[in-house]
Amino acid sequence: MPWDRTDPSPVLRQWAESQGLEGRGRRGVVVGCGLGADAEYLAALGFDTVAFDVAPTAVRVAQDRHPGSAVDYRVADLLDLPEEWLGAFDLVIEVYTVQALPDPPRSDAVRGVRSLVAPGGTLFAVAFRSDGESDATTGPPFALSRGRMQSFEGDGLEAVEVTAVEDERWRAVFRR
């Protein structure tokens, strides 16, 4: 499985290190956390971290892999989020989740991710890149266009960067 990794996304790690990211006193959430590598990294940076996935097996394996973890692993659906999570996180991490979905419901998933960001918060997203004007039609994963990456913008969330990075990926940062 491509999400079966023990290290965080290299794109996430590089960005966090370049920012000197420090999480003490801040809340973070990892969308579609898979087996927990990105969530554990966020917690190691000091964030009070929630990580969720729609797959109960993934959440159970993440909990088993990281016994005693400070991460609050949960089974949850990006398309039907708990109300207490809306606008509740200082840092939202989305790596390859939205692109795993066809459209529909991809647009609804983008709105779900956006809804997690607190006032003054940041969304960090990574996806495989489509260099065309449209998202790829074969997948999953469906490589995403620049326009789709920019569609995270809205509801007070503004793009800081949407950058093509290594291995045909997008790195996008948004702030509210």
Side-chain angles (χ1 to χ4, degrees), residues 3-41:
W3 55 89
D4 187 0
R5 53 188 166 80
T6 56
D7 293 321
S9 159
V11 179
L12 170 60
R13 181 185 297 249
Q14 179 186 39
W15 175 77
E17 289 174 358
S18 75
Q19 301 297 304
L21 194 60
E22 168 60 50
R24 274 179 252 228
R26 298 171 54 192
R27 293 186 76 204
V29 64
V30 177
V31 176
C33 67
L35 306 182
D38 294 338
E40 293 298 322
Y41 180 67

Side-chain angles (χ1 to χ4, degrees), residues 73-94:
Y73 287 102
R74 304 266 190 103
V75 175
D77 184 345
L78 179 57
L79 303 177
D80 187 23
L81 293 165
E83 197 151 323
E84 66 269 16
W85 288 1
L86 304 181
F89 297 96
D90 301 298
L91 179 61
V92 176
I93 303 295
E94 195 286 295

Side-chain angles (χ1 to χ4, degrees), residues 6-166:
T6 56
D7 293 321
S9 159
V11 179
L12 170 60
R13 181 185 297 249
Q14 179 186 39
W15 175 77
E17 289 174 358
S18 75
Q19 301 297 304
L21 194 60
E22 168 60 50
R24 274 179 252 228
R26 298 171 54 192
R27 293 186 76 204
V29 64
V30 177
V31 176
C33 67
L35 306 182
D38 294 338
E40 293 298 322
Y41 180 67
L42 209 60
L45 293 174
F47 285 88
D48 178 12
T49 304
V50 173
F52 72 94
D53 203 292
V54 72
T57 301
V59 171
R60 188 178 65 252
V61 171
Q63 291 168 327
D64 290 347
R65 280 193 178 181
H66 309 286
S69 173
V71 176
D72 179 9
Y73 287 102
R74 304 266 190 103
V75 175
D77 184 345
L78 179 57
L79 303 177
D80 187 23
L81 293 165
E83 197 151 323
E84 66 269 16
W85 288 1
L86 304 181
F89 297 96
D90 301 298
L91 179 61
V92 176
I93 303 295
E94 195 286 295
V95 179
Y96 306 139
T97 303
V98 167
Q99 73 175 60
L101 300 170
D103 201 12
R106 191 178 311 131
S107 296
D108 291 335
V110 166
R111 281 189 289 281
V113 170
R114 185 188 314 139
S115 75
L116 295 165
V117 183
T122 299
L123 164 62
F124 177 83
V126 178
F128 288 106
R129 184 175 79 235
S130 166
D131 288 327
E133 292 183 26
S134 302
D135 298 340
T137 56
T138 57
F142 301 92
L144 302 182
S145 67
R146 177 179 291 278
R148 174 67 69 185
M149 292 304 289
Q150 289 174 318
S151 76
F152 283 99
E153 195 169 43
D155 299 326
L157 202 61
E158 296 180 3
V160 173
E161 74 166 290
V162 177
T163 305
V165 295
E166 64 182 53

